[in-house]
């Protein structure tokens, strides 16, 4: 009996040792795999960022920055970049003290970038003063390919303040912008497609108080697709080439809430030979009568013009379920003028000088 007991004890001890050793081996293998996987993910992130930089340099941009450090093991891959600067072929340049991007090891090319630091854009055309951008919160999510192509990007910011020297600041309470994905041209779709989604609330600037509707703009939403590639050239030349090769902006939905004005519109637009907006949008407008009253009150139109416009609006519109006057008319941008139906409103300047 004692021999059997000793044998059983010995066998149990051997099994326990094997289990311990197996567990230690598995732990070592798991740790080794985790370390290797993290370094693989860090290399993927660094490679995609470096290749993105190389692509921008090939397009004429000058990129400089301090050392790139990778950290965050084991649950994050975090890239920190000091003093990044980008100079465009047009001469303007951007800089910020620090950029920080992070991603999970299992998705290293889908990054979240902290943009809450101060940003400066200088070297603007016509010696315009530098632009400083600050916010209480600003983050961007971006997805890159390993080749450095940007597939899509989203920017979310709160309490955004855009300032120029000796100018009053532009403020936006909340901004949510998504760019992409980019769909290359193909035999079925000869024009490149690039989606644009912008949502902004409470846009304010002192200059808005000088307009008939005053400020702020309560809401501006834009959902559209840019068709056609904008070439690697200075903005004015690039827009001419984009237009001449059939480029246009398709607005799937645009909504504006500003004072008494509520407007929803959709349609297509491009630029004319002088780079002024050109096209036609189908629109639904509420509060047009109140806007006309404000135009008359500020002296932009006289009483006779106001009366004629009001008659036209009355003939075009109806009273909706909320008891507000509503019109469904085309917004026409042609030959440098904006018209609502038969009523010419204002002159349109070029989008680039």
């Amino acid at each position: 009996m004692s021999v059997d007991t000793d044998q059983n004890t010995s066998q149990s001890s051997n099994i326990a040792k094997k289990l311990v050793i197996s567990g230690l081996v598995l732990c070592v293998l798991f740790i080794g795999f985790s370390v290797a996987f993290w370094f693989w993910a860090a290399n993927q992130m660094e490679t995609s960022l470096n290749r993105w930089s190389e692509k921008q340099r090939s397009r004429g941009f000058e990129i400089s920055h301090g050392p790139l450090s990778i950290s965050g093991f084991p649950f994050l891959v975090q890239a920190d970049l000091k003093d990044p600067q980008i100079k465009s072929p047009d001469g303007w340049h951007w800089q910020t003290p620090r950029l920080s991007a992070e991603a999970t090891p299992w998705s290293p090319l889908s990054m979240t970038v902290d943009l809450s630091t101060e940003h400066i854009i200088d070297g603007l055309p016509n010696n315009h003063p530098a632009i400083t951008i600050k916010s209480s919160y600003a983050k961007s999510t971006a997805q890159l390919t390993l080749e450095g192509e940007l597939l899509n990007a989203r920017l979310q910011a709160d309490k955004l303040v855009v300032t120029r020297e000796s100018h009053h600041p532009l403020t936006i309470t909340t901004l949510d912008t998504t760019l992409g994905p980019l769909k290359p041209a193909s035999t079925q779709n000869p024009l490149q497609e690039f989606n644009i989604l912008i949502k902004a609330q409470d846009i304010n600037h002192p200059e808005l108080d000088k307009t008939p509707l005053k400020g702020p703009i309560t809401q501006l939403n834009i959902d559209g697709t840019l068709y056609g590639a904008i070439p690697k050239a200075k903005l004015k030349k690039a827009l001419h080439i984009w237009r001449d090769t059939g480029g246009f902006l398709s607005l799937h939905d645009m909504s504006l809430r500003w004072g008494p004005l509520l407007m929803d519109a959709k349609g297509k637009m491009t630029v004319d030979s002088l780079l002024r907006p050109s096209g036609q949008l189908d629109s639904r407008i509420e509060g047009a009568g109140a806007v006309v009253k404000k135009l008359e009150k500020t002296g932009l139109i006289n009483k006779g013009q106001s009366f004629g416009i009001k008659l036209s609006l009355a003939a075009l519109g109806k009273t909706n379920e909320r008891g507000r006057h509503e019109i469904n008319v085309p917004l026409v941008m042609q030959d440098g003028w904006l018209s609502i139906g038969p009523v010419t409103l204002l002159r349109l300047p070029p989008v680039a000088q």
Side-chain angles (χ1 to χ4, degrees):
M1 291 291 295
S2 61
V3 174
D4 292 340
T5 301
D6 290 342
Q7 287 179 346
N8 291 336
T9 302
S10 177
Q11 289 177 353
S12 298
S13 178
N14 289 335
I15 292 172
K17 287 179 180 179
K18 290 179 180 179
L19 289 175
V20 169
I21 293 172
S22 299
L24 288 174
V25 170
L26 288 174
C27 286
V28 170
L29 289 174
F30 177 76
I31 292 172
F33 173 78
S34 299
V35 171
F37 183 71
W38 185 88
F39 276 101
W40 171 84
N43 181 68
Q44 294 277 294
M45 174 187 275
E46 187 173 5
T47 299
S48 66
L49 291 173
N50 286 334
R51 288 178 177 172
W52 179 87
S53 297
E54 291 168 4
K55 285 184 178 292
Q56 307 320 306
R57 290 188 178 100
S58 70
R59 293 166 181 164
F61 288 86
E62 298 176 16
I63 299 177
S64 62
H65 53 77
L68 173 67
S69 62
I70 304 293
S71 60
F73 179 82
F75 301 114
L76 285 175
V77 179
Q78 183 170 322
D80 289 298
L81 196 63
K82 290 185 177 180
D83 301 318
Q85 299 183 35
I86 298 177
K87 184 176 181 180
S88 78
D90 294 331
W92 61 262
H93 53 271
W94 161 89
Q95 65 183 58
T96 191
R98 176 179 173 271
L99 277 182
S100 177
E102 64 180 38
T104 57
W106 47 89
S107 186
L109 302 183
S110 296
M111 308 173 198
T112 299
V113 185
D114 185 0
L115 299 172
S116 299
T117 55
E118 180 181 84
H119 301 261
I120 298 174
I121 302 173
D122 204 351
L124 299 170
N126 303 318
N127 294 318
H128 284 302
I131 296 174
T132 301
I133 304 172
K134 298 179 181 179
S135 62
S136 64
Y137 167 90
K139 284 192 180 294
S140 174
T141 54
Q143 185 175 4
L144 293 172
T145 66
L146 190 59
E147 289 72 34
E149 290 289 348
L150 180 63
L151 296 178
N152 56 69
R154 181 182 182 184
L155 169 65
Q156 295 173 288
D158 292 337
K159 297 181 181 178
L160 192 67
V161 180
V162 182
T163 309
R164 279 187 173 182
E165 186 179 347
S166 304
H167 288 69
H168 293 291
L170 167 70
T171 61
I172 303 174
T173 301
T174 61
L175 177 66
D176 189 347
T177 302
T178 301
L179 301 177
L182 174 68
K183 299 178 181 178
S186 63
T187 53
Q188 290 81 15
N189 300 298
L191 291 177
Q192 172 184 289
E193 299 178 19
F194 187 69
N195 292 339
I196 301 170
L197 180 62
I198 299 173
K199 297 180 180 180
Q201 292 185 340
D202 294 329
I203 306 168
N204 206 358
H205 189 277
E207 290 296 320
L208 291 175
D209 290 330
K210 300 177 182 179
T211 66
L213 297 181
K214 307 294 183 183
I217 297 173
T218 307
Q219 179 180 303
L220 174 64
N221 294 340
I222 297 174
D223 180 5
T225 301
L226 187 70
Y227 288 86
I230 297 180
K232 309 167 190 175
K234 291 189 175 182
L235 181 59
K236 188 174 180 179
K237 181 179 179 181
L239 286 174
H240 276 292
I241 297 173
W242 172 72
R243 179 187 71 91
D244 293 341
T245 53
F248 66 94
L249 173 64
S250 176
L251 287 175
H252 313 307
D253 182 33
M254 181 186 75
S255 62
L256 174 69
R257 305 293 182 265
W258 186 8
L261 177 66
L262 283 76
M263 182 180 73
D264 298 298
K266 60 182 178 180
K268 296 179 180 180
M269 57 187 297
T270 183
V271 292
D272 63 16
S273 59
L274 299 178
L275 300 184
R276 300 170 300 192
S278 177
Q280 180 171 314
L281 305 177
D282 296 325
S283 70
R284 182 187 68 83
I285 301 174
E286 294 184 25
V291 174
V292 174
K293 287 181 181 179
K294 288 182 177 291
L295 291 173
E296 179 186 340
K297 186 177 180 180
T298 54
L300 292 176
I301 59 175
N302 58 42
K303 289 186 177 180
Q305 291 172 316
S306 175
F307 181 73
I309 294 174
K310 288 176 183 176
L311 282 180
S312 298
L313 293 176
L316 292 169
K318 62 181 181 179
T319 301
N320 61 23
E321 64 275 7
R322 295 192 298 275
R324 287 171 57 88
H325 186 262
E326 175 186 305
I327 57 174
N328 292 273
V329 292
L331 288 177
V332 180
M333 294 159 282
Q334 187 175 8
D335 299 328
W337 289 93
L338 173 65
S339 302
I340 296 182
V343 182
T344 300
L345 281 186
L346 52 88
R347 187 181 292 274
L348 297 171
V351 297
Q353 298 289 347

